[in-house]
Amino acid sequence: MAQKFAVYYNIIMILWPIASLASAQVTNNLAKPGCNYTCGSFDIPYPFGMNDPNCYADKWFEIECGTINVDTKQPFLKFLDLMVSNISTLDSTIEVWNPVQRMNCSEDQPKGNVVDLRGSPFVYSQRNTFYAVGCNSLALLNANGAEIGGCVSICDNDEDANSETIDGCHGRYCCETSLPRYLSEFNTTFQVLGENGVNVRSGQCNYAMITTDFFGPQGTQYVTQLRAIFEWEITNSSVQLPQSSNCYPSNITSSDKNSSGLRCQCRSGFEGNPYISGGCTAIPDSSNKKSRAKWAIIGVFSSLGSILLLLGIWWLYKIVRKRMIEKRKEKNFKENGGLLLQQRLSSGEVNVEKTKLFSLKDLEKATDHFNLRSSRSKEKLKNL
């Protein structure tokens, strides 16, 4: 029993470090202590946060974890009511699902909400592009009541709006243009081109969108929102930022000021979330990382080999132990007249019906605890 326990103990001691390694969790360097930072499969890093005002910088950064179907949780920018698909503290950006705006479409196709970021710490990133889809129309991008950009799309009477021959957005049924800096609104108006201002393609629906992943004009009528990127900065002066991070003045949201807020980065050689204390951790040296990975693999296989070796030893131990017990029984059988008894039984010399069997307890009592020198043993056996 002791040997069996020792084998199991050794196996557990070998498996324990492997299990601990597999279950090790990355230290939370995303959110403030005590704050929930997950919504479904999404991570929510500070200055964004949920539930408790202490978990996010201010109302603009509050995230609401909503349910879009029975099994799927999705974060929303609560104050702007925009669905979030990604948040990055590395370059201070947030990716949202931006509405598609429409004109002259059927009633069952939503017009598309105007997005107003004025007064917020967010602006549309210039990594986005403005796209317009339609026939013989001028799509104008407006901000603060002024037209700040736009593009024209032209097509003839014989062209199918959803033709697969339309390639890209170069002014033929689809056009595109870059975004200006500091864009804090998504509000589009359309002007129809043609004789007397009447659209040549009567009843043609027009679409406008700001996005990073436009897939072409085909199928646009079925899309209600596309992903777009906002840049952000900390504009609330009451937000305490860690001194260990490299926080610097920025003017992401205002062209009138040299500095409209602050943005943070981890110092050289560190990575993580620079907006919380202790959020930046040292970047491991790549050579050491590879070496550790190599030795970790060697360690795992060595441990597995040790387990197999111990199991093999345990199996051999059981076989050897079984053979030793069988040999001991055979030896005791021979030393105690077993062969003679076997011969007499087979020859018929012994009447089995008259043979009397004694229990171990009776034998121990008759032989004075198996003292063969006792002269009273035969007499006691007769009396049993």
Side-chain angles (χ1 to χ4, degrees):
M1 186 68 182
Q3 293 92 336
K4 184 177 181 180
F5 175 78
V7 172
Y8 287 155
Y9 176 80
N10 289 330
I11 293 174
I12 292 171
M13 292 304 294
I14 290 173
L15 287 175
W16 183 265
I18 301 175
S20 300
L21 180 63
S23 62
Q25 299 293 325
V26 178
T27 303
N28 169 29
N29 62 346
L30 293 173
K32 284 186 173 182
C35 294
N36 183 17
Y37 60 93
T38 58
C39 174
S41 60
F42 297 89
D43 289 334
I44 312 298
Y46 186 84
F48 298 87
M50 299 178 290
N51 305 325
D52 187 345
N54 292 321
C55 294
Y56 47 87
D58 56 37
K59 66 178 183 180
W60 297 104
F61 292 94
E62 183 179 2
I63 295 291
E64 184 173 48
C65 190
T67 303
I68 57 176
N69 58 48
V70 177
D71 300 319
T72 306
K73 295 285 187 178
Q74 187 80 30
F76 288 80
L77 269 177
K78 185 175 181 179
F79 200 80
L80 295 172
D81 193 27
L82 292 172
M83 191 163 64
V84 176
S85 58
N86 187 53
I87 300 174
S88 172
T89 56
L90 179 63
D91 56 1
S92 300
T93 60
I94 181 171
E95 188 177 70
V96 302
W97 288 94
N98 201 49
V100 174
Q101 296 182 353
R102 293 176 168 83
M103 184 197 76
N104 198 32
C105 297
S106 60
E107 293 182 0
D108 61 339
Q109 290 185 311
K111 184 178 180 181
N113 296 329
V114 172
V115 179
D116 189 353
L117 304 177
R118 288 175 294 179
S120 79
F122 306 108
V123 294
Y124 280 95
S125 170
Q126 290 186 294
R127 289 156 60 181
N128 301 298
T129 302
F130 176 73
Y131 296 93
V133 176
C135 272
N136 305 316
S137 63
L138 169 63
L140 295 170
L141 188 60
N142 305 297
N144 297 320
E147 298 166 351
I148 58 173
C151 64
V152 176
S153 59
I154 305 292
C155 47
D156 57 44
N157 290 328
D158 299 325
E159 188 166 30
D160 182 2
N162 292 313
S163 172
E164 295 182 359
T165 61
I166 300 173
D167 183 22
C169 279
H170 308 297
R172 180 168 166 257
Y173 186 73
C174 180
C175 65
E176 65 178 84
T177 187
S178 59
L179 297 186
R181 293 186 65 188
Y182 313 109
L183 180 63
S184 57
E185 289 182 69
F186 176 39
N187 185 9
T188 307
T189 58
F190 296 90
Q191 292 184 8
V192 178
L193 304 178
E195 296 180 4
N196 301 320
V198 178
N199 195 335
V200 177
R201 298 288 292 274
S202 178
Q204 175 65 54
C205 189
N206 295 288
Y207 310 87
M209 58 216 78
I210 293 177
T211 183
T212 57
D213 57 1
F214 184 64
F215 51 82
Q218 292 82 18
T220 310
Q221 67 269 30
Y222 305 113
V223 179
T224 59
Q225 53 188 2
L226 290 168
R227 288 179 295 186
I229 295 174
F230 293 167
E231 294 189 44
W232 50 268
E233 60 186 359
I234 303 296
T235 57
N236 189 340
S237 60
S238 64
V239 176
Q240 298 294 321
L241 297 173
Q243 296 181 352
S244 58
S245 298
N246 180 22
C247 295
Y248 56 91
S250 58
N251 66 334
I252 298 301
T253 58
S254 175
S255 60
D256 301 329
K257 303 175 183 178
N258 291 330
S259 174
S260 54
L262 292 172
R263 302 182 91 177
C264 298
Q265 290 180 335
C266 290
R267 299 182 184 277
S268 178
F270 290 79
E271 62 182 359
N273 185 358
Y275 291 93
I276 60 171
S277 180
C280 294
T281 56
I283 301 174
D285 182 73
S286 60
S287 59
N288 290 337
K289 191 173 183 180
K290 290 179 180 178
S291 178
R292 285 197 298 271
K294 176 182 176 181
W295 284 108
I297 294 172
I298 293 175
V300 169
F301 279 102
S302 297
S303 299
L304 291 174
S306 300
I307 292 171
L308 293 175
L309 177 61
L310 286 172
L311 290 175
I313 292 173
W314 173 244
W315 180 71
L316 288 174
Y317 163 76
K318 291 183 69 176
I319 292 177
V320 171
R321 187 169 180 270
K322 184 178 180 181
R323 292 187 64 182
M324 288 176 64
I325 292 172
E326 290 176 351
K327 286 187 176 182
R328 189 182 300 122
K329 287 181 179 179
E330 185 179 352
K331 181 180 179 182
N332 292 336
F333 181 77
K334 290 180 179 179
E335 289 180 350
N336 291 279
L339 292 176
L340 178 60
L341 177 61
Q342 196 173 46
Q343 289 176 356
R344 297 183 66 183
L345 286 172
S346 60
S347 63
E349 296 180 13
V350 177
N351 189 344
V352 177
E353 295 179 355
K354 294 183 179 181
T355 302
K356 187 174 183 181
L357 298 177
F358 299 97
S359 67
L360 180 64
K361 186 176 181 181
D362 292 336
L363 290 173
E364 185 178 8
K365 181 179 178 181
T367 59
D368 192 16
H369 299 284
F370 300 104
N371 183 5
L372 298 179
R373 296 181 180 180
S374 175
S375 60
R376 296 177 298 172
S377 297
K378 293 183 179 180
E379 183 179 350
K380 287 184 178 181
L381 289 172
K382 289 180 181 178
N383 296 328
L384 289 176

